Amino acid sequence: MTDTADIPKLRQAISDHLPRRYRAEMRFRVAGLSAVGLAVAILVLLVGSIVMQAIPAFTVNQLVLPVRLESDLVDPQGDGSEASLRRGSYGRVLQEAVREQFPGVRDRRQLRTLFTLYTALNSTRLMDEVLADPGLVGETHTFRMPIADDLDLYLKGRLVQDRTLETAGRLTVAEAGRDFELTSSAADFEGLRDTVSNLLRAEAASLDTRAEQARNRAEGQTGEDREDSLYEAGRLSADADALRAEAELESGWVELSDTLPSILVETGETHLRLTALSADGRSARAESLLGDETGSELADWSLYVIDTPEARRRVSDQLIVWTRALVDRGLVSLDFNTALFANADSREPELAGVKGALFGSILTMLITLTLSVPVGVFTALYLEEYAPKNRFTDLIEVNINNLAAVPSIVFGLLGLAVFINSFGLPRSAPLVGGLVLSLMTLPTVIIATRAALKAVPVSIRQAALAVGASKTQTVFHHVLPLAAPGILTGSIIGLAQAMGETAPLLMIGMVAFIADAPTLGLEGLTQPATVMPVQVFLWSDGAERAFEARTAAAILVLLALMIGFNALAIYLRRRFERRW
Amino acid sequence: MVNPMPDNQSHPDMSAGAGQAELPIKVQARDVCVSYSGKQALNHVSIDVPDRSVTAFIGPSGCGKSTFLRCLNRMNDTIEGAKVVGSLKIDGLEVNDKSVDPVVLRANVGMVFQKPNPFPKSIYDNVAYGPRIHGLALSKDELDAIVEDSLKKAGLWDEVADRLNHPGTGLSGGQQQRLVIARAIAVNPEVILMDEPCSALDPIATAKIEELIDELRENYCIIIVTHSMQQAARVSQQTAFFHMGNLVEYGTTEEIFTNPRDPRTQDYITGRFG
Ligand SMILES: Nc1ncnc2c1ncn2[C@@H]1O[C@H](COP(=O)(O)OP(=O)(O)OP(=O)(O)O)[C@@H](O)[C@H]1O
Ligand SMILES: [Mg+2]
């Protein structure tokens, strides 16, 4: 006890303490706010960057070509039967349709390049369209097919750095042997000449540096090594000097190579690629990539520069020119990428979609849901409400807690050994995937359910028991409904975790390229399938650039799935809570 | 704590004595001992509780009042480690007998707890729950009648008649406690146990509950645990004083409060300890 005399002193001590308390509170709030801010910023950054990356995947440039479905090509038996239509040469039909656009292309090698404008897999799609409507045979049909993935990226401005230059003069195009000579009435090529000179100088400087390095290396060497290094240095220096000489050239021609930007001249339907620039910047030499029109004093022409040198990109100038010509003719349209959702996986990015993985995920999750939630909830109910507390149940409890911490790949091993090797279930099947993920999810569900059951106030149980409810009535009428929101949350967290797993599926063959979507039904459970996170993983490993955007798009689909899942959880929880 | 009482053997009178003779004995306890995980909480309690009257259990905290109450409807069964020995009869039937189903017993022995604990359901469902699980009503109308009757007996009908489908947890503390009493009497028990039913209530709500207890006395055997001497004096006809797990003194309320025989009772009711 304190004397009354001490009271003012005590009050004073409390007041003295106050500022420090407020400061501590302030610090805590600031720390909390900044933590929240940081989390939000990271989230926005993450989702933002994924969305930015994914945007190109949601649209696709499609070639809209008139294709002539000649009967002798499409219907070899001539009876219009399905068997006959299935044996048609749809690849040829497509090739003819593309050749029709570029009749000047005759050379075999060039033709092969021409057919890389699209992937040959499109012939199957054409066949499907014909099978769906056999009346098309003999007709000219407008067929839409995605352009090759790299050209799609090019058209979206994601593959190369390019620009169109202003031209001031009138252009004269004259034939000079197999090449062409271009002259502009203004100094339209001067800027390009400077660009090329600068690049040459930069290249020369980097050669100089390498020569210097070789010389330095030689200092520390003896005998043959030294000779080699010195020789290399001399060679590099000579190359650098040659480049510099070309860059400084006052008259004559500067040769362009595939390590320098590509410069294309477009006049009407004719596309020319410059092979040399005159030192004075007024004229140039060029070769034809498409068309061979000549003319003098042309006003309508443009200079198109691809700064990324041809040697350092995946598409050639030739393909780019063809693509641009098709765009000019209005045969390319930017559409929503339905393939991304309507197709299963494919080796060709333009035809690859998430449908297979999405269906696989749905089937797998259905198995996991129907197994892990009831089994987990009832296990937890029994352990929490009925089981006697003894060593044996303690042991079970410890084991369940440990199971929750087992690395998920171990469950995959178990699945391989038990479900596939012992039970003989098929590999890569959603059924096995669901079983494995159920094993993984069970501990989470059990632990969450037990926590939710424990949180139900004793007074409610007592109330029920006191009016004469049996143990089971008490549990099912009162405890379980009160624990339901917690059970739901726990189960959904467990399922969401399972939905994002790849490792346990590795062992059971679900991490694989699977080109067909499983059917959404009972039989789909045993068909080979993969799941969304696996699709993300596989695409992120894809060689084609176009898979980058598709990876991000698949991540977005997965995220949307998760958000949908969580929204459902919140909705269900609200509904349950409102009843009370 | 204090040493155990030296006079464990000497039992106080187990019947409340003269004046109550005309009332039949409803609850009869003989040498009831309870221990929790080996720790003795109740020592050889023997008591006869008459029907159609209110019996108050008083005594300092931790003396075993609630423990004894829980023996009567076998709620101790639900407590881990609780062990009950001795003979406990209601209407001459042994409560702890293997053949007695606790579900049936609890329908016959209602209990009201210290803190009101309505189910998080509607007022109607709270009262209807017991009759439903015991199958007491054959039709919806019958059930409605039971609910109305119980709520009327509990003195709550007028306040909630127009909002029977509102959640029971939305009522005030005093209303909740009366709702819980209605829930208990809806299954037609013969004995009602009340463990400090008014400790969380204000004087007005307390007065209402006391009034209610007084009315219910007509038809039920009521045992009430209370820490308020005044309440015990107001509502009960018999009073039992517990101390350290022993039943120290038992008699008519008038006797206990005016002329206690045991010095410990004297000390307790005059507020010298507890
Ligand atoms: N569930 C339990 N587990 C273990 N010991 C218990 C339990 N319930 C009561 N006890 C013990 O039994 C003894 C009697 O407790 P009880 O609850 O019957 O006292 P009480 O008279 O009701 O006290 P109060 O007036 O404070 O409610 C106490 O010592 C208490 O610690
Ligand atoms: Mg108590």
Side-chain angles (χ1 to χ4, degrees):
Chain A
M1 296 279 155
T2 355
D3 282 332
T4 30
D6 279 348
I7 297 277
K9 235 177 164 178
L10 282 175
R11 295 280 172 280
Q12 189 54 44
I14 290 171
S15 312
D16 290 349
H17 239 57
L18 272 183
R20 209 196 294 171
R21 267 199 252 172
Y22 285 138
R23 274 201 303 278
E25 203 158 306
M26 229 17 231
R27 271 199 302 277
F28 178 74
R29 277 212 221 160
V30 168
L33 262 179
S34 25
V36 170
L38 191 73
V40 169
I42 289 174
L43 192 73
V44 167
L45 200 74
L46 198 81
V47 174
S49 80
I50 293 175
V51 169
M52 290 307 290
Q53 272 190 46
I55 284 172
F58 288 108
T59 54
V60 66
N61 284 287
Q62 303 215 78
L63 295 174
V64 189
L65 292 180
V67 295
R68 279 215 302 272
L69 295 162
E70 317 240 18
S71 328
D72 53 334
L73 279 181
V74 180
D75 185 11
Q77 288 164 17
D79 54 6
S81 66
E82 192 185 320
S84 168
L85 291 179
R86 278 192 184 282
R87 291 179 49 207
S89 319
Y90 297 93
R92 274 285 301 285
V93 173
L94 285 182
Q95 290 181 353
E96 292 304 326
V98 176
R99 275 183 78 163
E100 218 165 282
Q101 295 301 325
F102 302 106
V105 181
R106 296 216 179 69
D107 175 62
R108 278 174 78 68
R109 255 188 53 216
Q110 275 224 307
L111 275 174
R112 257 209 306 278
T113 316
L114 182 65
F115 299 145
T116 60
L117 274 173
Y118 60 92
T119 155
L121 293 175
N122 280 300
S123 56
T124 324
R125 292 186 44 239
L126 181 60
M127 179 176 81
D128 289 341
E129 285 185 23
V130 172
L131 285 173
D133 180 10
L136 291 173
V137 176
E139 304 285 312
T140 298
H141 170 53
T142 307
F143 182 60
R144 285 176 172 261
M145 61 177 170
I147 199 166
D149 52 323
D150 284 330
L151 291 169
D152 181 55
L153 282 179
Y154 162 76
L155 286 173
K156 286 170 181 161
R158 302 239 168 194
L159 196 67
V160 296
Q161 277 207 313
D162 57 352
R163 56 203 158 107
T164 304
L165 296 183
E166 298 270 328
T167 54
R170 290 168 174 275
L171 184 72
T172 302
V173 182
E175 241 168 309
R178 291 186 58 223
D179 288 350
F180 298 84
E181 208 161 296
L182 312 178
T183 325
S184 171
S185 58
D188 282 322
F189 300 112
E190 188 149 29
L192 289 170
R193 158 89 176 105
D194 291 342
T195 309
V196 169
S197 295
N198 286 338
L199 286 170
L200 290 174
R201 277 186 213 109
E203 179 67 22
S206 93
L207 289 179
D208 278 341
T209 324
R210 279 170 59 198
E212 188 65 30
Q213 280 166 355
R215 244 170 245 122
N216 286 343
R217 203 162 53 234
E219 301 241 321
Q221 291 169 325
T222 50
E224 224 168 272
D225 287 347
R226 187 183 164 84
E227 295 283 300
D228 283 352
S229 297
L230 283 177
Y231 173 75
E232 193 190 334
R235 210 195 62 218
L236 288 167
S237 290
D239 286 352
D241 286 342
L243 286 175
R244 253 190 299 273
E246 204 168 339
E248 308 303 338
L249 218 57
E250 293 286 336
S251 64
W253 296 94
V254 181
E255 297 288 332
L256 298 172
S257 70
D258 65 358
T259 55
L260 288 170
S262 294
I263 304 161
L264 304 171
V265 168
E266 302 178 0
T267 68
E269 285 280 276
T270 300
H271 294 244
L272 305 170
R273 174 170 60 188
L274 302 197
T275 51
L277 281 167
S278 77
D280 64 8
R282 284 184 168 266
S283 39
R285 286 200 195 122
E287 59 188 347
S288 163
L289 293 182
L290 180 63
D292 52 5
E293 279 169 54
T294 55
S296 57
E297 300 284 321
L298 299 168
D300 182 24
W301 67 291
S302 66
L303 258 179
Y304 171 62
V305 184
I306 306 173
D307 283 306
T308 316
E310 195 177 19
R312 279 202 267 128
R313 60 179 128 95
R314 293 173 52 99
V315 286
S316 61
D317 289 340
Q318 179 68 72
L319 272 170
I320 287 178
V321 161
W322 283 329
T323 306
R324 288 172 70 85
L326 287 169
V327 171
D328 287 344
R329 292 173 204 172
L331 297 176
V332 176
S333 91
L334 186 64
D335 296 336
F336 179 70
N337 187 3
T338 45
L340 187 62
F341 299 98
N343 289 3
D345 200 6
S346 168
R347 296 279 181 217
E348 302 297 336
E350 63 266 41
L351 289 179
V354 297
K355 183 177 148 194
L358 200 60
F359 282 14
S361 269
I362 290 171
L363 291 168
T364 309
M365 279 303 109
L366 279 179
I367 294 283
T368 310
L369 182 84
T370 48
L371 277 178
S372 68
V373 173
V375 173
V377 169
F378 283 109
T379 306
L381 260 183
Y382 181 77
L383 284 178
E384 194 58 39
E385 303 287 338
Y386 294 96
K389 304 276 173 286
N390 56 28
R391 287 225 178 147
F392 183 64
T393 45
D394 281 352
L395 190 75
I396 290 180
E397 176 157 5
V398 168
N399 268 312
I400 288 171
N401 291 340
N402 280 340
L403 272 186
V406 166
S408 56
I409 194 156
V410 176
F411 290 103
L413 278 168
L414 184 80
L416 177 67
V418 176
F419 300 129
I420 295 180
N421 291 345
S422 301
F423 293 0
L425 292 175
R427 289 175 65 85
S428 311
L431 177 64
V432 180
L435 286 171
V436 166
L437 292 178
S438 302
L439 291 180
M440 207 195 83
T441 316
L442 260 179
T444 315
V445 175
I446 294 175
I447 291 170
T449 305
R450 293 189 71 169
L453 289 175
K454 275 204 183 90
V456 174
V458 193
S459 63
I460 296 295
R461 294 166 203 265
Q462 283 180 340
L465 289 172
V467 290
S470 66
K471 179 92 200 171
T472 307
Q473 283 172 328
T474 306
V475 168
F476 282 88
H477 295 167
H478 301 284
V479 178
L480 204 52
L482 280 179
I487 295 174
L488 260 174
T489 313
S491 302
I492 285 182
I493 288 173
L495 286 177
Q497 234 172 18
M499 195 162 67
E501 277 293 342
T502 27
L505 303 179
L506 201 65
M507 294 289 154
I508 56 165
M510 284 188 94
V511 180
F513 171 79
I514 286 150
D516 292 305
T519 32
L520 271 189
L522 267 185
E523 66 276 16
L525 292 178
T526 47
Q527 289 165 352
T530 183
V531 293
M532 285 305 296
V534 169
Q535 193 66 79
V536 170
F537 168 72
L538 291 176
W539 281 358
S540 72
D541 219 24
E544 280 86 354
R545 271 279 303 277
F547 274 130
E548 265 174 38
R550 280 166 177 78
T551 305
I555 292 174
L556 280 187
V557 173
L558 188 57
L559 279 179
L561 220 57
M562 298 266 190
I563 290 172
F565 233 48
N566 282 328
L568 182 74
I570 291 170
Y571 169 75
L572 286 176
R573 205 163 55 200
R574 285 268 165 80
R575 269 207 52 163
F576 272 106
E577 269 166 1
R578 208 176 296 151
R579 272 217 271 145
W580 305 111
Chain B
M1 282 266 276
V2 201
N3 285 325
M5 288 293 117
D7 53 352
N8 264 350
Q9 294 82 357
S10 72
H11 288 303
D13 281 349
M14 40 203 187
S15 75
Q20 305 292 327
E22 70 274 17
L23 291 172
I25 299 300
K26 188 76 179 170
V27 178
Q28 188 184 58
R30 289 294 175 273
D31 284 322
V32 172
C33 299
V34 181
S35 61
Y36 293 108
S37 314
K39 190 175 147 280
Q40 195 78 7
L42 215 53
N43 291 322
H44 301 278
V45 172
S46 300
I47 190 169
D48 287 339
V49 179
D51 201 2
R52 293 175 207 290
S53 66
V54 179
T55 305
F57 287 1
I58 58 170
S61 187
C63 68
K65 307 180 295 289
S66 302
T67 300
F68 185 66
L69 225 50
R70 283 197 297 263
C71 293
L72 297 175
N73 65 347
R74 284 185 49 184
M75 283 295 273
N76 278 329
D77 290 10
T78 65
I79 295 173
E80 196 90 12
K83 191 163 174 286
V84 182
V85 293
S87 156
L88 235 176
K89 288 183 179 155
I90 294 180
D91 282 335
L93 269 172
E94 182 58 51
V95 164
N96 287 318
D97 202 80
K98 288 265 184 298
S99 65
V100 172
D101 191 332
V103 167
V104 178
L105 174 69
R106 287 175 198 149
N108 195 37
V109 183
M111 190 164 190
V112 175
F113 296 86
Q114 179 171 1
K115 271 204 293 193
N117 56 354
F119 299 131
K121 299 187 177 201
S122 71
I123 293 169
Y124 182 94
D125 286 339
N126 260 285
V127 182
Y129 183 69
R132 267 194 194 127
I133 56 170
H134 295 300
L136 297 184
L138 297 175
S139 66
K140 174 87 175 96
D141 290 343
E142 246 178 287
L143 191 60
D144 288 350
I146 293 178
V147 169
E148 183 176 340
D149 188 47
S150 308
L151 283 171
K152 275 183 178 154
K153 278 191 194 154
L156 192 61
W157 177 254
D158 295 336
E159 287 157 76
V160 300
D162 54 342
R163 47 170 172 157
L164 288 178
N165 54 355
H166 285 220
T169 40
L171 297 173
S172 78
Q175 288 173 327
Q176 286 189 14
Q177 199 61 301
R178 276 180 285 153
L179 175 63
V180 167
I181 292 173
R183 182 176 68 193
I185 57 188
V187 287
N188 268 319
E190 295 173 66
V191 182
I192 301 178
L193 312 173
M194 298 187 175
D195 197 348
E196 300 175 43
C198 302
S199 63
L201 304 182
D202 72 298
I204 294 171
T206 303
K208 276 197 174 153
I209 302 268
E210 285 179 6
E211 215 173 289
L212 171 62
I213 292 172
D214 209 46
E215 280 166 26
L216 293 175
R217 173 163 66 94
E218 309 277 316
N219 301 309
Y220 302 92
C221 166
I222 297 176
I223 302 177
I224 177 171
V225 170
T226 177
H227 280 284
S228 154
M229 297 307 116
Q230 290 88 341
Q231 186 171 57
R234 278 195 303 265
V235 300
S236 72
Q237 285 74 53
Q238 295 80 234
T239 300
F241 173 64
F242 285 77
H243 187 244
M244 307 286 303
N246 299 301
L247 173 60
V248 173
E249 189 167 351
Y250 177 47
T252 60
T253 302
E254 207 185 319
E255 229 171 61
I256 297 278
F257 279 95
T258 53
N259 188 19
R261 276 166 293 160
D262 196 288
R264 287 169 289 173
T265 318
Q266 171 93 43
D267 285 351
Y268 184 73
I269 58 175
T270 52
R272 240 167 282 166
F273 72 71

